[in-house]
Amino acid sequence: MRTDLHPDLARVLVSEDTIQAHVKVLAHQISLDYADAEKIYLIGILKGSFIFLADLARELSVDHVVDFMAVSSYGNSTESGAVRIVMDLRESIAGQHVIVVEDIVDSGKTLTYLLDTLGGRGPASLRTCSLVRKRRESLDLTVDYLGFDIPDVWVVGYGLDYAEKHRTLPFIAELKEEVYQNDG
Ligand code: PRP
C-alpha cells in the first residue's frame, strides 16, 4: 500500500512496473507483426499519448516514423459533440503502414473519427494501439494493440490528466470522485 499518494488520488490502478512490462509486450507484438514492413508510421494523439508513445517507440525493433495529431471534442461530455482536428500530420500517409497511438479509449468517439479520417487518406494499413480502454457496455470498437481494460472511473497519470494535472505520474491512478465533483 502506497503512503505517498497525492491527496487527489484514490488508488493506483496500474503500477509503473506493470505499465512498463505491457509496453514491452505491445512493442514486441508490433515488431513481429510488421517485421516485413519497410517502416511503420506511429501517429500519437496529443496530448495524452506523448509518454506512452515515447516508451513504445523506443522498444520497437521495426523502423518507424513518429508524427502527431491533436484533436478536440466540443463540450466536456465524452458521449456527444463532434471531433475536429486542431493539428494535422506533417506528411502524407498514403501507402504507409499506420498505427494510431492513444493513451485511452473512453467513449471511442476520438478513435472512431480518426479511423474514418485517416482511412480516407489511402494508408497501406491502419491499426490502433491504446494503453488503456475503459470497460463500457456501449463500446463497440476493436483496439488492435491494447494494454489494459480498466474500470469506468476517472484516471490520471502516464499521459492522462485531470485539468492538466497528474499527467506525468509514472503510474495510472483513480482520481477521487470528490475532486471532479467539487469542480462541477
Ligand atoms: C483523451 C484521450 C483520447 C480521448 C479518448 O483526450 O487522450 O484522445 O480523450 O476519449 P474518447 O474515447 O471518449 O473519444 P483529451 O480530450 O482528454 O485530451 P488530452 O489528451 O489533450 O488530455
Side-chain angles (χ1 to χ4, degrees):
M1 181 68 154
R2 296 184 65 104
T3 54
D4 57 344
L5 263 192
H6 188 283
D8 286 356
L9 308 179
R11 62 184 169 131
V12 173
L13 274 182
V14 190
S15 72
E16 179 176 6
D17 286 352
T18 305
I19 290 173
Q20 293 304 330
H22 278 71
V23 168
K24 284 186 169 61
V25 170
L26 288 171
H28 182 66
Q29 188 61 53
I30 291 169
S31 298
L32 282 178
D33 291 351
Y34 292 90
D36 294 334
E38 188 188 332
K39 66 172 183 288
I40 58 176
Y41 259 67
L42 301 173
I43 300 180
I45 309 306
L46 297 172
K47 298 178 188 177
S49 72
F50 80 106
I51 291 175
F52 175 43
L53 177 56
D55 284 349
L56 183 77
R58 287 180 291 178
E59 292 291 336
L60 291 174
S61 58
V62 61
D63 280 351
H64 52 275
V65 171
V66 172
D67 204 346
F68 292 95
M69 288 179 85
V71 298
S72 169
S73 302
Y74 288 112
N76 285 330
S77 167
T78 53
E79 300 291 355
S80 62
V83 178
R84 69 186 173 100
I85 296 173
V86 294
M87 190 190 91
D88 210 336
L89 301 171
R90 291 199 180 185
E91 294 165 19
S92 165
I93 54 166
Q96 303 294 340
H97 293 289
V98 174
I99 302 178
V100 179
V101 180
E102 269 284 23
D103 50 344
I104 189 167
V105 177
D106 188 344
S107 68
K109 188 176 59 174
T110 303
L111 208 48
T112 300
Y113 170 81
L114 287 168
L115 285 173
D116 188 47
T117 300
L118 296 175
R121 298 183 185 184
S125 66
L126 178 58
R127 286 183 177 161
T128 54
C129 177
S130 183
L131 183 65
V132 296
R133 176 178 62 185
K134 281 194 186 171
R135 254 180 248 124
R136 283 167 173 250
E137 293 287 325
S138 57
L139 189 61
D140 182 22
L141 178 66
T142 301
V143 179
D144 298 297
Y145 301 99
L146 177 67
F148 311 90
D149 273 314
I150 59 167
D152 189 4
V153 295
W154 198 308
V155 285
V156 294
Y158 204 69
L160 297 152
D161 73 308
Y162 170 69
E164 296 301 329
K165 285 188 279 188
H166 309 303
R167 241 191 235 286
T168 54
L169 290 171
F171 51 82
I172 294 175
E174 178 181 349
L175 195 70
K176 285 180 183 168
E177 269 186 49
E178 66 208 48
V179 175
Y180 53 88
Q181 282 173 351
N182 287 347
D183 279 3

mmCIF file of all heavy atoms in Angstrom, residues 45-48 78 102-111 161 167, ligand 1:
data_model
loop_
_atom_site.group_PDB
_atom_site.id
_atom_site.type_symbol
_atom_site.label_atom_id
_atom_site.label_comp_id
_atom_site.label_asym_id
_atom_site.label_seq_id
_atom_site.Cartn_x
_atom_site.Cartn_y
_atom_site.Cartn_z
ATOM 1 N N ILE A 45 -1.671 10.772 -30.601
ATOM 2 C CA ILE A 45 -2.758 11.743 -30.476
ATOM 3 C C ILE A 45 -2.520 12.574 -29.211
ATOM 4 O O ILE A 45 -2.570 12.055 -28.086
ATOM 5 C CB ILE A 45 -4.138 11.039 -30.427
ATOM 6 C CG1 ILE A 45 -4.268 10.045 -31.602
ATOM 7 C CG2 ILE A 45 -5.259 12.080 -30.462
ATOM 8 C CD1 ILE A 45 -4.010 10.638 -32.990
ATOM 9 N N LEU A 46 -2.222 13.844 -29.433
ATOM 10 C CA LEU A 46 -1.900 14.757 -28.329
ATOM 11 C C LEU A 46 -3.152 15.157 -27.569
ATOM 12 O O LEU A 46 -4.229 15.205 -28.155
ATOM 13 C CB LEU A 46 -1.201 15.994 -28.891
ATOM 14 C CG LEU A 46 0.153 15.707 -29.574
ATOM 15 C CD1 LEU A 46 0.662 16.965 -30.274
ATOM 16 C CD2 LEU A 46 1.169 15.214 -28.553
ATOM 17 N N LYS A 47 -2.962 15.508 -26.273
ATOM 18 C CA LYS A 47 -1.646 15.478 -25.657
ATOM 19 C C LYS A 47 -1.352 14.118 -25.025
ATOM 20 O O LYS A 47 -0.202 13.753 -24.815
ATOM 21 C CB LYS A 47 -1.584 16.528 -24.535
ATOM 22 C CG LYS A 47 -1.775 17.950 -24.965
ATOM 23 C CD LYS A 47 -1.726 18.848 -23.705
ATOM 24 C CE LYS A 47 -2.093 20.260 -24.048
ATOM 25 N NZ LYS A 47 -2.114 21.105 -22.813
ATOM 26 N N GLY A 48 -2.394 13.404 -24.656
ATOM 27 C CA GLY A 48 -2.256 12.283 -23.738
ATOM 28 C C GLY A 48 -1.276 11.190 -24.119
ATOM 29 O O GLY A 48 -0.712 10.531 -23.257
ATOM 30 N N THR A 78 -18.113 13.046 -23.011
ATOM 31 C CA THR A 78 -17.469 12.132 -23.948
ATOM 32 C C THR A 78 -18.509 11.428 -24.809
ATOM 33 O O THR A 78 -18.171 10.653 -25.682
ATOM 34 C CB THR A 78 -16.643 11.080 -23.196
ATOM 35 O OG1 THR A 78 -17.474 10.446 -22.231
ATOM 36 C CG2 THR A 78 -15.443 11.700 -22.525
ATOM 37 N N GLU A 102 -2.944 5.905 -28.907
ATOM 38 C CA GLU A 102 -3.733 6.656 -27.926
ATOM 39 C C GLU A 102 -3.325 6.249 -26.514
ATOM 40 O O GLU A 102 -2.878 5.124 -26.287
ATOM 41 C CB GLU A 102 -5.222 6.338 -28.101
ATOM 42 C CG GLU A 102 -5.955 7.249 -29.051
ATOM 43 C CD GLU A 102 -6.247 8.621 -28.446
ATOM 44 O OE1 GLU A 102 -5.550 9.036 -27.503
ATOM 45 O OE2 GLU A 102 -7.179 9.264 -28.937
ATOM 46 N N ASP A 103 -3.543 7.151 -25.571
ATOM 47 C CA ASP A 103 -3.376 6.771 -24.175
ATOM 48 C C ASP A 103 -4.608 6.037 -23.670
ATOM 49 O O ASP A 103 -4.508 5.052 -22.942
ATOM 50 C CB ASP A 103 -3.079 7.993 -23.299
ATOM 51 C CG ASP A 103 -4.064 9.137 -23.525
ATOM 52 O OD1 ASP A 103 -4.769 9.119 -24.554
ATOM 53 O OD2 ASP A 103 -4.130 10.040 -22.681
ATOM 54 N N ILE A 104 -5.789 6.524 -24.078
ATOM 55 C CA ILE A 104 -7.022 5.925 -23.568
ATOM 56 C C ILE A 104 -8.136 5.942 -24.613
ATOM 57 O O ILE A 104 -8.240 6.884 -25.398
ATOM 58 C CB ILE A 104 -7.498 6.667 -22.277
ATOM 59 C CG1 ILE A 104 -8.652 5.936 -21.596
ATOM 60 C CG2 ILE A 104 -7.858 8.115 -22.579
ATOM 61 C CD1 ILE A 104 -8.953 6.448 -20.178
ATOM 62 N N VAL A 105 -8.916 4.868 -24.614
ATOM 63 C CA VAL A 105 -10.177 4.836 -25.352
ATOM 64 C C VAL A 105 -11.278 4.869 -24.303
ATOM 65 O O VAL A 105 -11.350 3.992 -23.441
ATOM 66 C CB VAL A 105 -10.307 3.574 -26.229
ATOM 67 C CG1 VAL A 105 -11.658 3.544 -26.917
ATOM 68 C CG2 VAL A 105 -9.176 3.525 -27.243
ATOM 69 N N ASP A 106 -12.092 5.916 -24.368
ATOM 70 C CA ASP A 106 -13.153 6.101 -23.370
ATOM 71 C C ASP A 106 -14.492 5.823 -24.046
ATOM 72 O O ASP A 106 -14.969 4.680 -24.046
ATOM 73 C CB ASP A 106 -13.045 7.524 -22.818
ATOM 74 C CG ASP A 106 -13.958 7.790 -21.640
ATOM 75 O OD1 ASP A 106 -14.883 6.999 -21.420
ATOM 76 O OD2 ASP A 106 -13.770 8.790 -20.940
ATOM 77 N N SER A 107 -15.098 6.813 -24.657
ATOM 78 C CA SER A 107 -16.334 6.566 -25.410
ATOM 79 C C SER A 107 -16.029 5.911 -26.756
ATOM 80 O O SER A 107 -16.900 5.307 -27.370
ATOM 81 C CB SER A 107 -17.075 7.887 -25.656
ATOM 82 O OG SER A 107 -16.341 8.704 -26.544
ATOM 83 N N GLY A 108 -14.783 6.060 -27.222
ATOM 84 C CA GLY A 108 -14.399 5.539 -28.537
ATOM 85 C C GLY A 108 -14.613 6.540 -29.661
ATOM 86 O O GLY A 108 -14.255 6.277 -30.811
ATOM 87 N N LYS A 109 -15.146 7.687 -29.319
ATOM 88 C CA LYS A 109 -15.501 8.689 -30.326
ATOM 89 C C LYS A 109 -14.261 9.206 -31.067
ATOM 90 O O LYS A 109 -14.272 9.333 -32.293
ATOM 91 C CB LYS A 109 -16.214 9.846 -29.607
ATOM 92 C CG LYS A 109 -16.821 10.873 -30.491
ATOM 93 C CD LYS A 109 -17.568 11.903 -29.670
ATOM 94 C CE LYS A 109 -16.648 12.586 -28.672
ATOM 95 N NZ LYS A 109 -17.285 13.695 -27.954
ATOM 96 N N THR A 110 -13.203 9.469 -30.333
ATOM 97 C CA THR A 110 -11.985 10.020 -30.950
ATOM 98 C C THR A 110 -11.380 9.012 -31.924
ATOM 99 O O THR A 110 -11.060 9.346 -33.071
ATOM 100 C CB THR A 110 -10.951 10.377 -29.854
ATOM 101 O OG1 THR A 110 -11.555 11.288 -28.935
ATOM 102 C CG2 THR A 110 -9.713 10.996 -30.460
ATOM 103 N N LEU A 111 -11.243 7.774 -31.470
ATOM 104 C CA LEU A 111 -10.613 6.759 -32.322
ATOM 105 C C LEU A 111 -11.486 6.440 -33.534
ATOM 106 O O LEU A 111 -10.970 6.239 -34.642
ATOM 107 C CB LEU A 111 -10.332 5.505 -31.489
ATOM 108 C CG LEU A 111 -9.158 4.645 -31.932
ATOM 109 C CD1 LEU A 111 -7.906 5.468 -32.184
ATOM 110 C CD2 LEU A 111 -8.875 3.576 -30.893
ATOM 111 N N ASP A 161 -4.638 13.203 -17.810
ATOM 112 C CA ASP A 161 -4.684 14.344 -16.897
ATOM 113 C C ASP A 161 -6.076 14.566 -16.316
ATOM 114 O O ASP A 161 -7.075 14.054 -16.829
ATOM 115 C CB ASP A 161 -4.288 15.625 -17.648
ATOM 116 C CG ASP A 161 -5.395 16.097 -18.597
ATOM 117 O OD1 ASP A 161 -5.863 15.273 -19.406
ATOM 118 O OD2 ASP A 161 -5.808 17.266 -18.501
ATOM 119 N N ARG A 167 -0.452 14.446 -15.179
ATOM 120 C CA ARG A 167 -0.116 13.797 -16.448
ATOM 121 C C ARG A 167 1.186 12.995 -16.397
ATOM 122 O O ARG A 167 1.321 11.988 -17.085
ATOM 123 C CB ARG A 167 0.049 14.868 -17.531
ATOM 124 C CG ARG A 167 -0.920 14.741 -18.669
ATOM 125 C CD ARG A 167 -0.502 15.655 -19.799
ATOM 126 N NE ARG A 167 -1.533 16.570 -20.207
ATOM 127 C CZ ARG A 167 -2.601 16.239 -20.911
ATOM 128 N NH1 ARG A 167 -2.799 14.996 -21.276
ATOM 129 N NH2 ARG A 167 -3.496 17.144 -21.253
HETATM 130 C C1 PRP B 1 -8.475 11.902 -24.262
HETATM 131 C C2 PRP B 1 -7.589 10.808 -24.812
HETATM 132 C C3 PRP B 1 -8.234 10.445 -26.105
HETATM 133 C C4 PRP B 1 -9.695 10.762 -25.877
HETATM 134 C C5 PRP B 1 -10.475 9.492 -25.662
HETATM 135 O O1 PRP B 1 -8.045 13.117 -24.776
HETATM 136 O O2 PRP B 1 -6.269 11.236 -24.964
HETATM 137 O O3 PRP B 1 -7.720 11.193 -27.170
HETATM 138 O O4 PRP B 1 -9.776 11.580 -24.699
HETATM 139 O O5 PRP B 1 -11.812 9.761 -25.396
HETATM 140 P P1 PRP B 1 -12.990 9.155 -26.250
HETATM 141 O O6 PRP B 1 -12.717 7.704 -26.475
HETATM 142 O O7 PRP B 1 -14.195 9.397 -25.373
HETATM 143 O O8 PRP B 1 -13.082 9.924 -27.524
HETATM 144 P P2 PRP B 1 -8.487 14.511 -24.128
HETATM 145 O O9 PRP B 1 -9.653 15.050 -24.909
HETATM 146 O O10 PRP B 1 -8.668 14.364 -22.660
HETATM 147 O O11 PRP B 1 -7.280 15.446 -24.458
HETATM 148 P P3 PRP B 1 -5.735 15.369 -23.971
HETATM 149 O O12 PRP B 1 -5.176 14.062 -24.477
HETATM 150 O O13 PRP B 1 -5.113 16.541 -24.621
HETATM 151 O O14 PRP B 1 -5.740 15.444 -22.456
#
